[in-house]
Amino acid sequence: MDGEPADGARLLQKFKLQLIDALCGDPDFLLQHCHSSRLLTQMQYDNLKNTAMPWDKARDILDCMMKKDRKRVEKFLSILKDKEIQEAFPKLEFLRKVPLRKSITTGRKRKKSKEKEPEEDVPRNHTCKKSKKRDRTVTEKQLMKVARYIGANWKEVGRVALEIPSIRLEQIVEENPHNLKEQVFCMLRLWSMRERHNASATRLHELLRQEEIGSIDFLLEDS
């Protein structure tokens, strides 16, 4: 039992850089989950909330959680494997292959997980290469041009077409008050960062077309 608290923290430390890269797209979303799950004290939450740079915020969240007790570390790891978090941070997919507490301390199970990794990685990497050949990732210039054609109903577009949580849309409003175009641009950029290699101009056009956003056919021409 004495080794268990360190195992969860060691797991976070082992994959720290990979986790930061996966979470830095929208660390505020993860922060809200940690706060609502009572993994953070109010003081810790306030300090993390005030960190400006996304990369630094993702790092600080991980550093904070690595100092927690075994129960909270395991709860945090479970949150990272949660479906909603996995959808928001696609790069966390690798955690599905990482066993939690019981398997962490069992060498036999750890060996099995290592044997499975190459088999699961091959098709995923193969898919990434195909998507790059099929379409290019949307650029910030294209996102800014699209933002011009989305009006006051942008939050509805974000919820329905782009599947962005309402709490994150409200945060965008708070961060960019009285600037509609910048709010819409931040929403589109958030979607792009979440989708990573799947954030193609063609896919964005398809999603927005369902919401009858006009004059964005340039996405098909530029892609």
Side-chain angles (χ1 to χ4, degrees):
M1 291 294 290
D2 291 338
E4 289 183 17
D7 284 324
R10 275 204 300 268
L11 184 64
L12 293 176
Q13 186 176 23
K14 177 180 179 181
F15 296 103
K16 185 176 181 181
L17 291 178
Q18 196 169 349
L19 287 168
I20 293 175
D21 178 62
L23 298 170
C24 67
D26 187 15
D28 283 317
F29 185 52
L30 175 63
L31 182 61
Q32 301 308 319
H33 274 265
C34 291
H35 190 223
S36 64
S37 299
R38 300 180 180 274
L39 295 180
L40 302 170
T41 65
Q42 188 60 42
M43 181 178 295
Q44 289 171 333
Y45 170 74
D46 291 337
N47 290 336
L48 290 167
K49 182 177 64 175
N50 292 329
T51 303
M53 299 301 293
W55 197 95
D56 292 340
K57 183 172 293 186
R59 177 203 61 199
D60 291 347
I61 291 174
L62 292 173
D63 287 344
C64 182
M65 293 310 307
M66 280 191 282
K67 297 176 183 177
K68 297 290 184 178
D69 58 64
R70 175 187 60 79
K71 184 177 180 180
R72 286 181 172 81
V73 171
E74 290 183 0
K75 175 64 176 177
F76 179 67
L77 289 170
S78 297
I79 288 176
L80 294 182
K81 287 190 173 187
D82 184 76
K83 181 180 178 182
E84 185 177 8
I85 293 295
Q86 290 272 324
E87 290 177 351
F89 305 99
K91 281 191 173 184
L92 287 178
E93 182 183 3
F94 77 94
L95 282 179
R96 295 178 183 176
K97 298 177 294 181
V98 178
L100 291 181
R101 178 164 58 95
K102 292 182 180 179
S103 299
I104 291 172
T105 57
T106 306
R108 183 177 58 186
K109 292 185 178 181
R110 184 162 56 240
K111 288 181 180 179
K112 287 183 178 181
S113 68
K114 288 183 178 179
E115 292 174 357
K116 291 180 180 179
E117 285 181 8
E119 298 176 3
E120 294 181 14
D121 283 343
V122 172
R124 188 175 72 234
N125 293 336
H126 185 62
T127 303
C128 291
K129 291 180 180 179
K130 282 187 176 181
S131 64
K132 288 181 180 178
K133 290 181 180 180
R134 183 169 62 251
D135 202 355
R136 293 181 180 179
T137 302
V138 67
T139 66
E140 288 198 353
K141 182 178 179 180
Q142 290 174 316
L143 294 178
M144 182 55 75
K145 290 172 67 176
V146 171
R148 299 171 184 170
Y149 297 100
I150 301 179
N153 67 329
W154 66 277
K155 285 191 282 188
E156 180 181 346
V157 173
R159 295 188 191 97
V160 178
L162 305 182
E163 298 183 352
I164 297 177
S166 296
I167 187 172
R168 191 64 187 94
L169 296 175
E170 295 303 326
Q171 288 174 349
I172 290 176
V173 174
E174 293 178 4
E175 294 165 0
N176 304 276
H178 314 302
N179 192 334
L180 177 61
K181 187 183 296 184
E182 189 65 21
Q183 291 170 359
V184 179
F185 171 73
C186 288
M187 175 188 70
L188 295 171
R189 185 173 60 180
L190 176 61
W191 172 83
S192 176
M193 295 175 70
R194 185 192 70 194
E195 296 299 308
R196 304 289 181 178
H197 60 268
N198 290 323
S200 66
T202 302
R203 182 159 179 253
L204 180 60
H205 180 274
E206 181 180 350
L207 292 172
L208 295 181
R209 185 180 59 184
Q210 299 174 11
E211 298 302 312
E212 299 182 355
I213 306 298
S215 304
I216 59 172
D217 288 344
F218 63 86
L219 288 173
L220 300 179
E221 299 170 0
D222 295 343
S223 61

